[in-house]
């Protein structure tokens, strides 16, 4: 059984279709990278998957539980609010701009939702949060505020905050796009470590070498369609579709896809 499935999703904004009948499934422990040019529908797909956007049509399942399905009229119908709240607990989402609470300390950013949403024991949650911060290399930053941290540190807090909810999988929307190259390396190391412990992840990224080295599967999107999908060594190193070749040629020209090894 797939941990996550989104089937035949269509989404339009103001009459412009941005997702055309997209279907993606993810197995437990799998890392899927979604690549493609700006405006290809990558982030919209992620927002539909995490219910930040409503689908026009299509179905959405987590652990076999239906979050949304097509109604009799062909439009998407979502599960009752109580069911959606439970299903939303199965995943975490890390945004490109961190989205931390600026008036909360680092520690409270991690503990707020587990205590107040999941109703877990505050002492236990705080202990787990401090351990997560230690693993993220943020020991000693518990009582700092987000504005006192670098961009890379803020993104590591955002990842720790998502993990504090004990999700089954994580979604990342361009997690390094707001960071300079040095700080980008910090975040890619964290995601690489999560991949090593078999955290299920879907990552929208423009880091081609990283996608090739860490993902189990790469999806190339363009114009709201999945153009090519497969093993990273096939899609990135030896793409079959002409559009994929054109897109990746830009990165090769810029030296962003070395021939092998780690970036």
């Amino acid at each position: 059984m797939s941990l996550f499935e989104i089937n035949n999703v269509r989404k339009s904004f103001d009459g412009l279709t941005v997702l055309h009948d997209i279907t993606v499934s993810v197995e437990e422990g799998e890392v899927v990278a979604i690549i493609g040019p700006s405006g290809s529908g990558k982030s919209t797909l992620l927002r539909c998957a995490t219910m930040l956007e409503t689908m026009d049509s299509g179905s959405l399942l987590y652990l076999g539980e239906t979050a949304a399905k097509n109604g009799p009229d062909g439009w998407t119908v979502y599960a009752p609010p109580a069911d959606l709240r439970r299903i939303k607990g199965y995943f975490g989402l890390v945004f490109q701009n961190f989205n931390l609470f600026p008036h909360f300390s680092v520690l409270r950013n991690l503990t707020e939702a587990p205590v107040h949403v999941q109703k877990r024991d505050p002492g236990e949650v705080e202990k787990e949060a401090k351990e997560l911060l230690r693993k993220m290399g943020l020991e000693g930053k518990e009582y700092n505020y987000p504005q006192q941290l670098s961009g890379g540190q803020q993104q590591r807090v955002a990842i720790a905050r998502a993990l504090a909810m004990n999700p089954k999988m994580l979604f990342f929307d361009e997690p390094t796009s707001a960071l300079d190259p040095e700080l980008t390396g910090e975040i890619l190391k964290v995601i690489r470590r999560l991949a090593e412990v078999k955290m299920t992840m879907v990552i929208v990224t423009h880091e081609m070498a990283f996608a090739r080295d860490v993902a189990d599967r790469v999806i190339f999107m363009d114009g709201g369609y999945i153009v090519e999908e497969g093993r990273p060594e096939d899609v990135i190193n030896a793409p079959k579709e002409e559009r994929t070749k054109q897109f990746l040629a830009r990165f090769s020209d810029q030296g962003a896809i070395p021939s092998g090894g780690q970036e």
Side-chain angles (χ1 to χ4, degrees):
M1 182 182 71
S2 297
L3 198 157
F4 159 76
E5 289 180 45
I6 194 166
N7 299 303
N8 308 112
V9 59
R10 291 178 178 271
K11 178 65 181 175
S12 298
F13 294 104
D14 299 322
L16 177 68
T17 301
V18 293
L19 293 177
H20 300 265
D21 201 33
I22 298 286
T23 294
V24 175
S25 65
V26 180
E27 303 296 319
E28 187 172 2
E30 190 177 22
V31 179
V32 177
I34 304 178
I35 63 172
S38 297
S40 61
K42 309 183 302 294
S43 291
T44 300
L45 176 59
L46 215 65
R47 290 177 67 82
C48 287
T50 56
M51 292 176 265
L52 292 174
E53 294 283 0
T54 56
M55 302 183 293
D56 295 338
S57 63
S59 63
L60 177 62
L61 295 90
Y62 284 92
L63 280 72
E65 293 187 43
T66 300
K69 62 181 180 180
N70 282 336
D73 59 359
W75 292 86
T76 298
V77 176
Y78 284 82
D83 292 341
L84 288 184
R85 278 194 297 274
R86 185 187 68 258
I87 291 169
K88 285 177 180 178
Y90 295 150
F91 63 82
L93 175 59
V94 179
F95 300 89
Q96 55 186 293
N97 293 318
F98 324 135
N99 283 26
L100 299 174
F101 297 115
H103 55 296
F104 286 177
S105 68
V106 165
L107 186 62
R108 191 173 171 193
N109 263 282
L110 267 65
T111 60
E112 186 75 3
V115 170
H116 295 287
V117 177
Q118 296 181 329
K119 309 298 184 188
R120 290 166 55 200
D121 176 68
E124 179 187 310
V125 168
E126 183 170 319
K127 182 180 176 184
E128 287 181 12
K130 286 181 175 178
E131 176 61 16
L132 274 172
L133 290 171
R134 186 191 66 77
K135 288 180 178 177
M136 293 288 166
L138 293 166
E139 202 167 12
K141 302 291 186 183
E142 294 90 341
Y143 301 104
N144 285 37
Y145 286 83
Q147 66 268 26
Q148 296 173 301
L149 305 177
S150 71
Q153 289 171 331
Q154 289 185 60
Q155 192 60 297
R156 279 184 278 156
V157 172
I159 296 171
R161 181 178 65 178
L163 290 168
M165 298 289 283
N166 293 323
K168 299 287 187 185
M169 67 181 297
L170 286 180
F171 290 93
F172 292 85
D173 187 10
E174 297 277 16
T176 61
S177 67
L179 304 175
D180 65 36
E182 186 175 356
L183 299 179
T184 291
E186 291 180 19
I187 302 309
L188 298 184
K189 282 180 187 173
V190 169
I191 298 173
R192 193 186 298 279
R193 286 200 299 271
L194 291 172
E196 288 168 357
V197 298
K198 296 298 181 185
M199 184 73 196
T200 308
M201 293 184 282
V202 175
I203 308 166
V204 170
T205 184
H206 59 272
E207 300 287 340
M208 295 303 128
F210 175 74
R212 183 196 60 203
D213 293 343
V214 174
D216 299 299
R217 182 157 45 101
V218 171
I219 295 171
F220 171 64
M221 290 184 67
D222 188 42
Y225 293 93
I226 292 177
V227 176
E228 190 161 353
E229 178 177 3
R231 298 185 309 166
E233 57 266 37
D234 295 333
V235 175
I236 293 179
N237 288 356
K240 294 183 177 67
E241 300 296 328
E242 191 57 38
R243 182 64 189 95
T244 318
K245 293 175 185 175
Q246 291 169 358
F247 173 75
L248 291 169
R250 292 190 301 118
F251 290 91
S252 297
D253 292 345
Q254 295 162 7
I257 315 179
S259 56
Q262 312 298 313
E263 84 291 336

